[in-house]
Amino acid sequence: MDCIFCRIVAGNIPCYRVAENDDSLAFLDIEPAAKGHVLVIPKQHSENLLDTKPDTLALVAQMVHHVAHQIDVTLEPDGINILQNNRPAAGQVVMHYHVHLIPRWNDDNVMKAWRPKLATKLDLNEIAAQLRAAAG
Ligand code: AMP
Ligand code: ZN
């Protein structure tokens, strides 16, 4: 097994466990962006959102919701970012589907997710029409 998160699920390497059920596991990110940075993963391996079954995504989302409350009551952050990278171009490094929960405090400067610099150059009508026309 060459997937590091599958090895964590199997108990072959340790993690800082935060929550667990039959389908998903939540543990601390070892290179945290902020105090209480948690990863939530499905126990069954998939690479990213695109190859993960919708039912599994729903189970992970329930765990994300649970952990968000754990973070909120315990660390009392001013906000929480939920983010998820798909494929290296989007910043994915570990190829086992995972969701980041990053607690945020006012003016912490941890990150700004994007700059809206393209909006004025794009034909939003055309893009929305293309996406609506896509099958599936
Ligand atoms: P991503 O860029 O979305 O693929 O994020 C992968 C995350 O996994 C990074 O934030 C890493 O710090 C984290 N990570 C890698 N190995 C481990 C590990 N053994 N335990 C906990 N977090 C890890
Ligand atoms: Zn895996």
Side-chain angles (χ1 to χ4, degrees):
M1 193 191 308
D2 63 0
C3 171
I4 190 161
F5 287 177
C6 281
R7 279 193 226 143
I8 288 175
V9 169
N12 294 333
I13 59 172
C15 73
Y16 296 92
R17 189 169 56 85
V18 169
E20 181 174 12
N21 60 27
D22 288 347
D23 307 291
S24 53
L25 176 66
F27 53 97
L28 293 181
D29 193 304
I30 44 164
E31 290 187 272
K35 180 182 175 185
H37 181 169
V38 172
L39 303 176
V40 176
I41 65 171
K43 289 189 172 177
Q44 186 176 38
H45 181 88
S46 56
E47 277 211 355
N48 58 47
L49 178 136
L50 293 161
D51 71 334
T52 304
K53 288 188 235 142
D55 286 354
T56 303
L57 294 176
L59 292 167
V60 170
Q62 287 178 23
M63 180 60 89
V64 168
H65 185 253
H66 175 75
V67 173
H69 281 286
Q70 286 178 293
I71 290 171
D72 209 40
V73 299
T74 307
L75 302 177
E76 299 183 327
D78 297 312
I80 304 173
N81 283 117
I82 308 292
L83 64 92
Q84 193 270 309
N85 302 321
N86 297 285
R87 304 201 287 245
Q92 186 176 8
V93 174
V94 176
M95 297 297 149
H96 179 127
Y97 175 66
H98 56 278
V99 177
H100 295 258
L101 292 93
I102 303 177
R104 298 294 303 272
W105 283 268
N106 293 330
D107 304 318
D108 64 10
N109 283 322
V110 166
M111 64 175 170
K112 173 99 174 88
W114 63 81
R115 292 177 299 279
K117 61 180 179 182
L118 284 175
T120 53
K121 298 176 204 147
L122 296 174
D123 184 337
L124 300 184
N125 262 326
E126 187 189 334
I127 296 165
Q130 280 177 350
L131 294 175
R132 281 195 302 270

